[in-house]
Amino acid sequence: QVQVVESGGGLVQPGGSLRLFCAASNRIFSISIMDWYRQGPGKQRELVATISSDGTTNYANFVKGRFTISRDFTKNTAYLQMNSLQPEDMAVYYCHVRGRMSLLGRENDYWGQGTQVTVSS
C-alpha cells in the first residue's frame, strides 16, 4: 500500500550534485502539490521545495538557488535537482504528495519512505 517512493539519494562530496526522483502511485490523481522535505541529524523535518498543479514553485531560503524542483504531470513524478551540495544538506529527503484517490473524495496527504543524502569528503 506504499503510494509514494523516492530514489536517487547517495553519497556525494561537497560541491557535488544529486538528482532525487519521486514516483507517486497512479491511484493518486488530481495532485495539487508535490513537495520535498528533509530531516537532518538532530533536526526537525523541514520543507525544501514545493511545486503546485500549475507549476508554481517555492523554495526554502537555505537552498540559496542551488536546488530546482520539477514535475512531470504525465508520469506522476517529481524531481529535485540539487547542486553545490554542502555538509549541512545531509539529511533524509522525503517526497510529499497531496491528491485524491476518489474524484468525489477529499484530498489526502501521502509520504514516501525517504532517501538518504550524505555529503562528506
Side-chain angles (χ1 to χ4, degrees):
Q1 59 183 13
V2 175
Q3 306 295 340
V4 178
V5 178
E6 308 99 330
S7 62
L11 174 64
V12 65
Q13 295 183 350
S17 298
L18 285 173
R19 182 174 172 85
L20 304 185
F21 172 84
C22 173
S25 170
N26 289 330
R27 296 178 62 200
I28 306 174
F29 58 94
S30 297
I31 294 174
S32 58
I33 57 173
M34 300 184 75
D35 313 282
W36 287 97
Y37 288 74
R38 74 184 188 186
Q39 186 168 14
K43 298 181 179 180
Q44 296 181 341
R45 185 174 298 187
E46 59 188 355
L47 179 65
V48 176
T50 183
I51 184 166
S52 65
S53 59
D54 65 357
T56 302
T57 58
N58 288 282
Y59 298 91
N61 289 333
F62 55 74
V63 303
K64 301 177 181 178
R66 299 175 294 122
F67 294 3
T68 302
I69 188 171
S70 59
R71 180 176 172 183
D72 187 339
F73 291 88
T74 66
K75 297 181 179 179
N76 260 27
T77 58
Y79 307 87
L80 185 67
Q81 179 67 45
M82 304 185 295
N83 298 324
S84 301
L85 284 162
Q86 303 169 16
E88 54 264 37
D89 295 315
M90 183 170 65
V92 178
Y93 284 72
Y94 298 90
C95 181
H96 162 255
V97 178
R98 186 167 182 85
R100 309 173 189 270
M101 287 190 176
S102 174
L103 183 61
L104 300 179
R106 296 180 180 180
E107 288 187 319
N108 294 116
D109 295 295
Y110 306 91
W111 292 87
Q113 81 290 344
T115 184
Q116 176 70 51
V117 172
T118 301
V119 185
S120 176
S121 298

